[in-house]
Amino acid sequence: MPAACDSVLEDIEDIVSAEDLKPRDRQFVRKNVFPKVRKRHSQKNIQTEDDPPSDSIIPGAQKIWIRTWGCSHNNSDGEYMAGQLAAYGYKITDNSAEADLWLLNSCTVKNPAEDHFRNSIKKAQEGKKKVVLAGCVPQAQPRQDYLKGLSIIGVQQIDRVVEVVEETIKGHSVRLLGQKKDNGKRLGGARLDLPKIRKNPLIEIISINTGCLNACTYCKTKHARGDLASYPIEELVDRAKQSFQEGVCEIWLTSEDTGAYGRDIGTDLPTLLWKLVEAIPEGAMLRLGMTNPPYILEHLEEMAKILNHPRVYAFLHIPVQSASDSVLMDMKREYCVADFKQVVDFLKEKVPGITIATDIICGFPGETDEDFQETMKLVEQYRFPSLFINQFYPRPGTPAAKMHQVPATVKKQRTKDLSQLFHSYNPYDHKVGERQRVLVTEESFDSNYYVAHNPFYEQVLVPKDPLLMGKMVEVNIYEAGKHYMKGRPVSDARVYTASITRPLAKGEVSGLTEVSKRHFLLYYTDKTAAVQA
């Protein structure tokens, strides 16, 4: 008899009929649930105490470890999955060793990220852990050999993570990879009002759309996230309002391309932003996500006005990728270097002090020395304070993977040369001695400081005083490094509490109403009684 995990099911519905109860309904009918022991007639099928039969396992009592790689959109998905699992009763743990199941939320942008993902799967299997895979890697290529026999939750199916985890714990392998549609029209994804556990209780990440309108030849994410699908403005504003009611003081808007927002539903990014600005309480801040040059060009005037708003960070991430028009054409980026410069120059003029972050790919197929030197000149000209430098990695299944590749040694040298140029200038030295207003939201990686951001989303390290966390304070800048400044709070300045209510505790589930809390309590009471009986 084959083991239960040997059969791969494409959907939960493959193992239940239309008349069967759904997991969310079971909480009301578990008055008399008793584990059932199966009789085994062959030595080969005898279950050990460490491997009980699947029908004696009660889901919702296990510990789950969640690991997320990649962008803020992926991190938001991970927070939603954690929230739903915790609301159902699973314990989310930071200790991978004690976890019964690993939920691995992957990124497909670069080879190293997928390598880490693959190695984590292997480690989980070696540790006899149950595994559920999520994110862009399995969504884009679910038939890869190393994914065989494993459960997968698709990027648009994260609202069903409880079902997938439940069946995986029972020993089934389940795959949900479909798209969400309404009357044939693709939706942005799972509902925005689902329970979630914010990694940082002060910061809410809101995905305003999924997918994009481009077809970049190097991009694997497009295979996973698909074409543009935007959330309605009213749903996004409601999510922001709910976040502020839960003590959030900073919102990040994210997507594969925020600039393209709304083109599929008859609206645009500035219209959304003006609605969101109305909902932001005093002291709280909004940070915009990445936007490609083509979709911001037609909104420059409005975007400048929005970025000058006191509750919006004067910050924008605009990837250029290369300063060679021929390389951009091979990438199918749908803009030229002049377009990028027009956007940057206009915003720098209209939004004094704005921070422009950008990305560059070194060694794209066909990139010549002359092409690369154009990129070096661009960085020298603008001296971007935030620059993401990426050595090109050919992703399987993309057109760029089939192009003539630049030798690895050349790619490495160009990456090194650009990195050296980037580190040759200090963007914040001239700010020493300034008095700045900053919002404190995080702890530094070395745990020695709290991390704050000034109105230009520049990082300012402040003393680790618990009274400062979540506060808007004024500081004097006394030191500057390559990626940060250090500031001391001004003694006579007002300390403003940015949150309109007490933030949720770390690990606390967002979005649970009193009614849903009572339902979950009823479910767990019944489950405990059944086990004890």
Side-chain angles (χ1 to χ4, degrees):
M1 177 185 296
C5 60
D6 289 339
S7 60
V8 177
L9 303 174
E10 292 300 324
D11 203 334
I12 296 287
E13 283 76 11
D14 293 339
I15 59 172
V16 296
S17 69
E19 291 78 21
D20 286 332
L21 290 171
K22 303 297 187 293
R24 64 177 64 90
D25 300 321
R26 295 175 191 163
Q27 60 194 29
F28 304 109
V29 292
R30 294 206 175 190
K31 299 291 185 183
N32 298 295
V33 177
F34 299 92
K36 182 174 69 174
V37 180
R38 290 180 178 174
K39 292 182 178 180
R40 301 295 181 184
H41 299 290
S42 66
Q43 187 69 27
K44 181 175 70 173
N45 289 324
I46 292 178
Q47 298 276 354
T48 67
E49 290 184 2
D50 294 330
D51 186 22
S54 63
D55 56 0
S56 71
I57 298 173
I58 301 179
Q62 292 76 20
K63 295 180 180 179
I64 298 176
W65 179 66
I66 301 175
R67 172 72 191 275
T68 294
W69 292 265
C71 64
S72 53
H73 192 164
N74 227 32
N75 277 276
S76 176
D77 287 352
E79 291 180 350
Y80 273 121
M81 289 189 283
Q84 292 171 84
L85 291 166
Y88 194 74
Y90 292 104
K91 180 181 178 182
I92 308 301
T93 178
D94 293 327
N95 187 341
S96 61
E98 73 173 14
D100 302 291
L101 180 143
W102 287 13
L103 174 54
L104 304 176
N105 188 19
S106 62
C107 171
T108 191
V109 172
K110 293 188 288 188
N111 289 4
E114 183 170 350
D115 291 341
H116 286 303
F117 174 61
R118 184 189 295 110
N119 291 338
S120 294
I121 293 174
K122 182 179 179 181
K123 186 175 180 180
Q125 292 170 327
E126 291 172 348
K128 306 298 183 185
K129 306 292 186 183
K130 301 288 187 180
V131 183
V132 171
L133 309 179
C136 291
V137 171
Q139 179 73 53
Q141 286 187 296
R143 300 188 185 280
Q144 293 189 84
D145 287 343
Y146 73 93
L147 305 181
K148 285 182 178 179
L150 298 175
S151 291
I152 296 175
I153 181 79
V155 295
Q156 283 212 323
Q157 300 290 331
I158 61 171
D159 55 340
R160 299 180 67 184
V161 66
V162 170
E163 298 170 68
V164 175
V165 166
E166 181 176 276
E167 295 303 330
T168 301
I169 286 174
K170 290 179 179 179
H172 302 122
S173 180
V174 185
R175 297 189 168 198
L176 301 183
L177 294 165
Q179 303 293 325
K180 290 194 179 298
K181 295 182 179 180
D182 182 16
N183 293 323
K185 181 177 175 58
R186 185 168 178 266
L187 301 177
R191 299 195 331 267
L192 294 173
D193 60 352
L194 293 170
K196 75 186 302 187
I197 296 178
R198 298 184 183 97
K199 185 177 180 181
N200 184 336
L202 296 174
I203 297 175
E204 167 73 358
I205 307 172
I206 302 179
S207 302
I208 63 175
N209 56 267
T210 189
C212 69
L213 294 172
N214 298 330
C216 300
T217 56
Y218 57 82
C219 182
K220 190 73 175 177
T221 305
K222 176 78 172 188
H223 298 189
R225 298 284 181 177
D227 293 327
L228 179 69
S230 305
Y231 285 98
I233 288 178
E234 54 272 19
E235 292 183 18
L236 294 166
V237 173
D238 286 346
R239 181 66 201 182
K241 289 179 177 178
Q242 177 192 332
S243 302
F244 292 129
Q245 291 296 331
E246 293 176 336
V248 163
C249 62
E250 186 171 289
I251 285 183
W252 297 356
L253 299 186
T254 184
S255 77
E256 283 63 61
D257 187 350
T258 59
Y261 170 80
R263 287 173 175 254
D264 57 319
I265 58 174
T267 187
D268 54 43
L269 181 62
T271 302
L272 168 65
L273 295 177
W274 283 125
K275 290 292 185 181
L276 285 171
V277 163
E278 294 175 3
I280 302 174
E282 183 181 357
M285 296 294 292
L286 174 70
R287 192 195 81 174
L288 275 62
M290 185 273 290
T291 176
N292 284 312
Y295 307 113
I296 205 71
L297 269 169
E298 64 190 74
H299 300 305
L300 285 179
E301 288 282 356
E302 283 302 297
M303 289 302 299
K305 294 176 185 177
I306 292 165
L307 291 166
N308 273 308
H309 194 283
R311 292 195 283 276
V312 178
Y313 286 116
F315 167 89
L316 204 56
H317 179 192
I318 314 170
V320 65
Q321 304 302 6
S322 173
S324 164
D325 284 342
S326 63
V327 173
L328 291 175
M329 185 177 297
D330 289 340
M331 290 178 174
K332 289 192 176 180
R333 289 291 289 169
E334 299 185 9
Y335 60 86
C336 61
V337 178
D339 294 331
F340 174 80
K341 289 183 176 181
Q342 180 184 348
V343 172
V344 175
D345 292 343
F346 183 91
L347 292 177
K348 279 182 169 290
E349 177 186 352
K350 300 295 184 180
V351 189
I354 187 173
T355 296
I356 300 292
T358 196
D359 301 0
I360 288 174
I361 296 174
C362 295
F364 185 81
E367 182 186 64
T368 65
D369 289 337
E370 291 75 16
D371 294 328
F372 178 67
Q373 287 307 313
E374 291 300 316
T375 299
M376 294 282 281
K377 291 176 184 177
L378 184 79
V379 175
E380 181 65 52
Q381 176 184 352
Y382 288 99
R383 295 190 164 229
F384 303 102
S386 182
L387 178 62
F388 302 95
I389 302 170
N390 301 292
Q391 180 179 316
F392 175 75
Y393 290 96
R395 300 296 290 131
T398 61
K402 300 176 182 178
M403 297 178 182
H404 181 70
Q405 303 296 308
V406 173
T409 54
V410 176
K411 289 192 290 186
K412 290 180 180 178
Q413 186 60 49
R414 289 176 184 170
T415 304
K416 181 180 178 181
D417 291 345
L418 185 58
S419 297
Q420 287 178 340
L421 172 59
F422 174 59
H423 284 93
S424 69
Y425 58 86
N426 295 313
Y428 306 129
D429 284 353
H430 67 286
K431 299 199 173 190
V432 173
E434 288 186 358
R435 181 165 170 163
Q436 298 184 356
R437 176 175 57 88
V438 300
L439 178 59
V440 185
T441 56
E442 303 174 72
E443 184 177 82
S444 62
F445 286 118
D446 62 9
S447 299
N448 293 328
Y449 298 90
Y450 281 160
V451 178
H453 292 92
N454 64 19
F456 311 106
Y457 203 70
E458 296 164 334
Q459 183 172 267
V460 180
L461 303 180
V462 298
K464 197 174 176 182
D465 179 354
L467 296 177
L468 297 179
M469 184 58 72
K471 305 295 194 299
M472 184 79 75
V473 300
E474 287 192 1
V475 298
N476 286 320
I477 302 301
Y478 67 90
E479 182 181 329
K482 175 62 180 175
H483 302 286
Y484 64 88
M485 291 168 275
K486 290 183 180 179
R488 295 189 185 93
V490 178
S491 58
D492 60 345
R494 177 190 177 195
V495 176
Y496 189 86
T497 301
S499 302
I500 63 176
T501 186
R502 181 191 65 83
L504 300 179
K506 189 172 181 62
E508 188 175 351
V509 180
S510 156
L512 282 183
T513 65
E514 288 304 316
V515 173
S516 62
K517 286 179 181 178
R518 287 196 295 271
H519 284 172
F520 283 120
L521 181 61
L522 174 64
Y523 164 68
Y524 295 123
T525 301
D526 291 345
K527 185 172 70 173
T528 302
V531 173
Q532 291 175 345

